[in-house]
Amino acid sequence: MTEAQAVAIETPIAIGPGRLVLVVGPSGAGKDTLLGLAKAACAEDGNAVFARRVITRASSAAEDNEEVSADAFREAVARGDYAMHWEAHGHSYALPRAVDDDLRAGRTVIANVSRTVISVARRAYANVVVVQITAPPNVLAERLAMRGRASDGRIEHRLGRTVDETTAAPDFTIVNVGTADYHAGQLARIIRGSRWDE
């Protein structure tokens, strides 16, 4: 066995060729709103798959997730049922393993994830695009107060979360202070791989 062959066997192959579009950003930035509008805009595109997250929290009108108990979540992690998983705001989150199949089939998978998983995703997947959705701190605080979801913890703690930007740097940033339709259009153009800043 040559040295090159040994490296090839020991190094896992990044999953692709599909594009994994990771939407990240602070709480209150409006990610779910823009994702919902972008999903509607991409409804005719059979190549775009919007991943449904698994969360140890009840779903809501603003967020259509699969609700599981903490015990069921831990068991699923142990079985390897999730493509990736993370903890945030006192809850556990995951993307189902099916996203890997979509990416292998060449589809574009769009997912709302934590910034903490970006570096892992960039190593595991061949074609990762990170879109950060953000807003000024006062806007974030106002939106979180209006949401009133106490189970996610105190607003000041959520606004104070930091992430190592050297591994979580986005490819695109949308500052969500204009109309939702305008910024959702930007996101939809990124998903389609066309110009987004028009």
Side-chain angles (χ1 to χ4, degrees), residues 29-61:
K31 299 183 296 295
D32 289 320
T33 298
L34 298 191
L35 278 165
L37 292 169
K39 182 177 181 179
C42 296
E44 300 300 317
D45 184 354
N47 196 50
V49 178
F50 286 76
R52 187 169 183 241
R53 299 190 299 180
V54 178
I55 310 178
T56 55
R57 180 185 66 212
S59 61
S60 67

Side-chain angles (χ1 to χ4, degrees), residues 89-104:
H89 314 308
H91 299 290
S92 300
Y93 297 73
L95 295 182
R97 182 64 66 187
V99 304
D100 292 352
D101 297 330
D102 286 319
L103 291 167
R104 289 188 181 100

Side-chain angles (χ1 to χ4, degrees), residues 9 15 43 67 73 85 89 91 110 122 135-136 152 182-183 191:
I9 290 170
I15 296 170
E67 179 187 358
F73 190 96
H85 58 93
H89 314 308
H91 299 290
I110 305 94
R122 288 196 192 278
D152 284 348
Y182 173 75
H183 293 306
I191 291 167

Side-chain angles (χ1 to χ4, degrees), residues 75-133:
E75 290 167 5
V77 168
R79 290 192 305 267
D81 290 352
Y82 300 140
M84 64 180 75
H85 58 93
W86 63 96
E87 305 286 325
H89 314 308
H91 299 290
S92 300
Y93 297 73
L95 295 182
R97 182 64 66 187
V99 304
D100 292 352
D101 297 330
D102 286 319
L103 291 167
R104 289 188 181 100
R107 300 184 185 96
T108 297
V109 174
I110 305 94
N112 177 358
V113 302
S114 167
R115 291 168 287 179
T116 61
V117 302
I118 292 174
S119 60
V120 173
R122 288 196 192 278
R123 291 193 299 271
Y125 298 95
N127 191 355
V128 176
V129 177
V130 177
V131 183
Q132 175 178 255
I133 297 174

Side-chain angles (χ1 to χ4, degrees), residues 62-79:
E63 182 179 34
D64 177 29
N65 58 272
E66 178 185 343
E67 179 187 358
V68 298
S69 68
D71 287 342
F73 190 96
R74 283 190 292 271
E75 290 167 5
V77 168
R79 290 192 305 267

